[in-house]
Amino acid sequence: MDTLAKSSNINPLIAEEDGPPAILVIDDEENVRVLLQRALEFGGYKVFAAENGQEGIDLLRKGSGIHVILTDVMMPVMDGLEVLGEAQKIDPDVEVIVLTGLGTQESAIEALKKGAYDYLQKPMNMEELFLTVQKAMERHRLTRENQAYQKNLEAIVEKRTAQLTETKTFLQSVLDSSWDYAIIAANLRGNISLFNEGAVRMLGYSQDEINGELTKTLFPPGKKNGSGPFGVDSSKLMPEQVHQCEGIFNSKSGVLIVVSMSIATLTDKSGKVIGVLCIAKDISEQKKLEREIKKHTENLEQLVEERTLELSSRNVELEKTLKHLNEAQEQLVSSEKMASIGQLAAGVAHEINNPIGFVRSNLSTMTKYTQKITGVLEAMKEKLSNDEEIEQMWKKQKISFILEDLDELLSESYDGTNRVATIVKDLKNVSNIDRSQIMDSDLEQALDSTLNIVWNEIKYKAEVEKEYAGIPSVVCNPQQVNQVFLNILVNASHAIEDPPGKIIVRTVKYSDNEVAVEIQDDGMGMDEETRSKIFDAFYTTKEIGKGTGLGLSISYRIIREHGGSIEVESELGVGTTFRIILPVGK
Ligand SMILES: Nc1ncnc2c1ncn2[C@@H]1O[C@H](COP(=O)(O)OP(=O)(O)OP(=O)(O)O)[C@@H](O)[C@H]1O
Ligand SMILES: [Mg+2]
């Protein structure tokens, strides 16, 4: 039978340990009992039979896998309704089908009210019997299955609950043990839903008093905060993105705390943003340290700056001192040099001046005497023109020539002494270091004087050409300016390696209130490197003893002190021109 086969397809979840589903038949009428037992066994069921209610209940108690009870209503000892009540106590799942005879329908209805599955009327239709039994069996199976499912579900729920509790405990302990971090969650309206121990510690609120409050409670009042939770605009809150920022929390006691915040969104299963999680770390101490470090760094920088300034001003002072020292040294050397030259020259000039004075005066007297003697001799010769002896002597001694030459000799000698006198005067002019004073000076005359002094140096080397423009006189210290001319002329002469060379001394009206003196030579010239160093003190290319390397550095200083300048044009192997430009200074 199809239905029977199906009914025996027991769900393994509810399979009883004691074999196939069993039916308990309780009837005091043996023939009915045996008929039912056989029929049902034939239908594939395991069947227990009892002749009264008590016996049936005892069998049920033994737990023989009875799913369905078929019980007569009217029985001695224990009737069907009692059996139903007892059976429900022992096994609430057991399905009870009551068998009614004529006159017991009311009991059947009563049984149904009390929870019987169905009733069958005697005499029984077998098909109806099997159908009802099968349905009862099915219901029992479903009930068991349902119970098993429920039990299983409960077990799963219990397991999950345990897992969740464990996870929650774990998470709570993680959250709470994160002492250094305030972990705060809020919904999108900003109501706080999670506030860990770290947050409690940092902000002083208890979890109870802060839960449900708005996150803006945690920030200083009046501060301009964004519209969303934790002051972040909701538009900035993208799922799976962490917003990093720094902020200031206001603790319950009003202490401001600088925090670095990581703000992330909380999403539901579908990925919809439902809230915000903020993990904040107190960085007040770190900020304080940073500020202190910055202050120290600034202090240090200032200190370094001050020291640098101090050092550089010291450096400037040192440079100044060095310059002064150099100049003083130059001046010392120069003045010593000039003083010794000057003393020597002044001495020589003085010594020469006296003898030259009387030689010149004597020569002048001698010229007059000679003229007188010549006149007397001429007259005597005229008178004694017939005296052969006198005539002979006059001719033999070449008196006429002597008288003529004497005049010339005396005049030349006189010129010579004049020249010596001029040189002596020039020498005195140039070397008289004591007379270093500012005066209106004729530079062309000064050049002539200097040329006279250095003539001995120059004359074997070069011929000197003068190109004087008749420049106006210049207010200057003529001794110093002469010293410049002297050095540049001597340098020009030294530069001529292949005599005879040429030195041109030129004066130029340079501008309305400036004059220039140019000293040009066709000597060896200079390369760029030498040219760049010639004004440095002690720079010389000359052999030891010939040059100190001070001439041009002193010259440069003298002209600078006069408000003028020195220019140099030079070409190696062609020659050099020094141009001394001086303001007229009136
Ligand atoms: N007319 C020139 N032609 C070529 N070189 C020159 C000329 N004038 C100067 N110099 C170069 O410049 C150098 C410096 O000249 P400076 O007059 O300062 O010193 P010096 O002549 O060497 O020594 P000092 O003048 O002290 O006796 C010279 O040694 C020389 O090399
Ligand atoms: Mg020189």
Side-chain angles (χ1 to χ4, degrees):
M1 235 180 178
D2 254 336
T3 41
L4 268 177
K6 265 189 188 163
S7 73
S8 63
N9 183 17
I10 305 298
N11 188 313
L13 271 170
I14 55 159
E16 299 291 338
E17 285 158 9
D18 46 1
I23 302 172
L24 171 63
V25 177
I26 311 170
D27 204 314
D28 57 333
E29 282 177 68
E30 193 182 358
N31 54 344
V32 177
R33 202 169 60 233
V34 172
L35 175 77
L36 282 173
Q37 183 169 17
R38 285 200 183 139
L40 289 167
E41 277 174 352
F42 181 74
Y45 296 105
K46 186 179 173 186
V47 183
F48 294 95
E51 60 178 53
N52 62 54
Q54 189 57 60
E55 201 183 303
I57 289 300
D58 290 342
L59 273 167
L60 183 67
R61 243 189 220 114
K62 278 186 188 159
S64 322
I66 295 165
H67 291 183
V68 175
I69 300 173
L70 280 171
T71 181
D72 191 14
V73 178
M74 295 294 288
M75 283 184 299
V77 189
M78 188 186 270
D79 69 12
L81 285 173
E82 280 176 289
V83 168
L84 172 66
E86 282 305 304
Q88 280 172 339
K89 281 185 209 159
I90 296 164
D91 179 2
D93 299 338
V94 76
E95 301 294 350
V96 179
I97 301 165
V98 290
L99 306 171
T100 61
L102 273 175
T104 56
Q105 280 97 334
E106 277 175 17
S107 306
I109 291 163
E110 182 74 20
L112 284 179
K113 279 184 188 163
K114 288 190 167 161
Y117 174 69
D118 208 347
Y119 71 93
L120 289 169
Q121 241 176 341
K122 293 181 193 172
M124 274 163 289
N125 174 325
M126 277 304 140
E127 203 172 326
E128 195 184 356
L129 169 74
F130 277 113
L131 201 66
T132 309
V133 167
Q134 190 194 336
K135 275 160 58 188
M137 278 290 180
E138 184 64 12
R139 190 163 110 157
H140 183 273
R141 187 182 68 80
L142 287 172
T143 307
R144 281 289 166 87
E145 211 175 69
N146 197 21
Q147 281 172 357
Y149 268 125
Q150 214 164 323
K151 234 170 126 186
N152 196 30
L153 211 64
E154 272 168 19
I156 289 171
V157 168
E158 204 174 313
K159 200 174 154 196
R160 284 283 154 83
T161 310
Q163 279 175 347
L164 280 174
T165 313
E166 202 179 319
T167 311
K168 195 183 163 207
T169 315
F170 172 71
L171 282 176
Q172 193 62 46
S173 70
V174 167
L175 290 180
D176 290 346
S177 60
S178 307
W179 280 93
D180 287 345
Y181 291 90
I183 303 173
I184 306 163
N187 63 19
L188 287 178
R189 285 186 304 281
N191 302 103
I192 295 168
S193 55
L194 182 132
F195 201 77
N196 79 331
E197 275 301 314
V200 170
R201 215 166 69 106
M202 187 188 289
L203 292 154
Y205 291 102
S206 73
Q207 284 165 343
D208 285 346
E209 67 185 327
I210 201 71
N211 266 338
E213 293 295 328
L214 290 173
T215 55
K216 70 177 181 189
T217 315
L218 307 175
F219 293 93
K223 279 260 167 193
K224 214 180 136 223
N225 288 317
S227 54
F230 302 103
V232 178
D233 282 335
S234 319
S235 58
K236 282 190 185 164
L237 294 171
M238 296 293 167
E240 290 175 21
Q241 265 187 17
V242 178
H243 181 74
Q244 303 269 13
C245 61
E246 282 185 9
I248 295 175
F249 274 163
N250 185 21
S251 77
K252 190 181 171 187
S253 61
V255 175
L256 298 180
I257 303 156
V258 186
V259 287
S260 96
M261 297 191 277
S262 299
I263 298 170
T265 52
L266 295 169
T267 51
D268 65 8
K269 262 188 183 169
S270 65
K272 193 178 143 212
V273 177
I274 53 161
V276 177
L277 179 75
C278 167
I279 301 175
K281 187 170 174 22
D282 183 348
I283 54 166
S284 306
E285 207 49 41
Q286 183 188 328
K287 283 279 155 187
K288 201 173 134 198
L289 266 171
E290 276 174 17
R291 276 198 303 276
E292 271 172 25
I293 289 173
K294 201 177 160 208
K295 214 169 118 191
H296 279 306
T297 315
E298 276 170 8
N299 276 351
L300 213 70
E301 275 170 12
Q302 203 186 331
L303 217 73
V304 169
E305 212 171 298
E306 278 171 13
R307 283 282 151 82
T308 313
L309 258 168
E310 211 176 291
L311 276 175
S312 63
S313 80
R314 287 240 180 108
N315 214 16
V316 170
E317 263 172 47
L318 272 174
E319 270 173 18
K320 257 193 207 164
T321 314
L322 190 71
K323 205 169 149 225
H324 283 155
L325 264 172
N326 273 342
E327 285 187 0
Q329 193 180 7
E330 280 176 28
Q331 232 156 356
L332 202 72
V333 175
S334 146
S335 54
E336 270 186 18
K337 189 173 160 187
M338 288 314 289
S340 48
I341 293 172
Q343 271 169 4
L344 196 73
V348 171
H350 181 75
E351 287 307 314
I352 292 172
N353 215 24
N354 279 345
I356 216 70
F358 61 75
V359 169
R360 200 155 67 124
S361 142
N362 288 355
L363 278 171
S364 165
T365 314
M366 273 167 73
T367 306
K368 282 178 204 153
Y369 289 172
T370 310
Q371 278 165 357
K372 281 181 185 169
I373 291 169
T374 305
V376 171
L377 280 175
E378 293 284 354
M380 282 168 69
K381 189 195 170 228
E382 195 68 44
K383 287 249 164 131
L384 299 169
S385 58
N386 300 326
D387 189 328
E388 194 65 25
E389 203 178 340
I390 294 289
E391 192 68 23
Q392 287 272 314
M393 202 189 295
W394 190 274
K395 274 188 184 161
K396 197 180 174 194
Q397 294 304 324
K398 298 179 181 160
I399 297 299
S400 293
F401 170 76
I402 286 174
L403 288 177
E404 234 171 83
D405 202 29
L406 195 63
D407 199 36
E408 220 167 291
L409 286 175
L410 282 171
S411 140
E412 271 176 20
S413 299
Y414 190 74
D415 283 353
T417 52
N418 270 347
R419 265 176 62 193
V420 170
T422 312
I423 289 169
V424 167
K425 196 176 101 228
D426 289 340
L427 198 61
K428 277 169 90 183
N429 275 345
V430 175
S431 64
N432 193 348
I433 46 166
D434 297 330
R435 268 177 43 207
S436 54
Q437 50 185 312
I438 302 291
M439 57 175 75
D440 217 12
S441 315
D442 181 342
L443 292 189
E444 287 168 356
Q445 240 176 47
L447 275 168
D448 284 342
S449 294
T450 309
L451 272 168
N452 277 337
I453 303 301
V454 295
W455 181 240
N456 196 45
E457 179 79 42
I458 296 176
K459 68 181 174 199
Y460 302 111
K461 288 287 193 76
E463 58 178 85
V464 176
E465 239 177 69
K466 293 181 195 172
E467 292 176 13
Y468 289 169
I471 54 170
S473 60
V474 166
V475 176
C476 66
N477 180 327
Q479 272 67 50
Q480 285 189 337
V481 173
N482 277 338
Q483 193 184 334
V484 174
F485 294 157
L486 185 126
N487 179 56
I488 294 176
L489 282 166
V490 172
N491 281 352
S493 153
H494 284 171
I496 292 163
E497 289 176 307
D498 202 5
K502 186 192 265 185
I503 295 173
I504 303 171
V505 181
R506 196 180 291 123
T507 60
V508 184
K509 281 182 192 151
Y510 200 66
S511 73
D512 277 353
N513 47 7
E514 283 172 316
V515 295
V517 173
E518 290 179 0
I519 296 169
Q520 180 183 337
D521 67 66
D522 58 357
M524 62 171 107
M526 289 173 268
D527 60 16
E528 189 47 43
E529 207 202 330
T530 308
R531 215 209 62 72
S532 69
K533 292 183 191 154
I534 54 173
F535 294 110
D536 293 350
F538 303 106
Y539 176 78
T540 180
T541 55
K542 294 172 190 172
E543 61 209 50
I544 299 167
K546 198 169 184 190
T548 59
L550 280 176
L552 282 177
S553 100
I554 292 168
S555 303
Y556 183 84
R557 186 169 46 76
I558 290 172
I559 298 304
R560 197 188 56 203
E561 280 168 5
H562 276 80
S565 57
I566 304 184
E567 291 174 359
V568 194
E569 284 160 23
S570 187
E571 204 181 323
L572 204 62
V574 177
T576 305
T577 303
F578 277 87
R579 183 175 303 111
I580 301 136
I581 303 159
L582 280 169
V584 176
K586 282 169 198 163

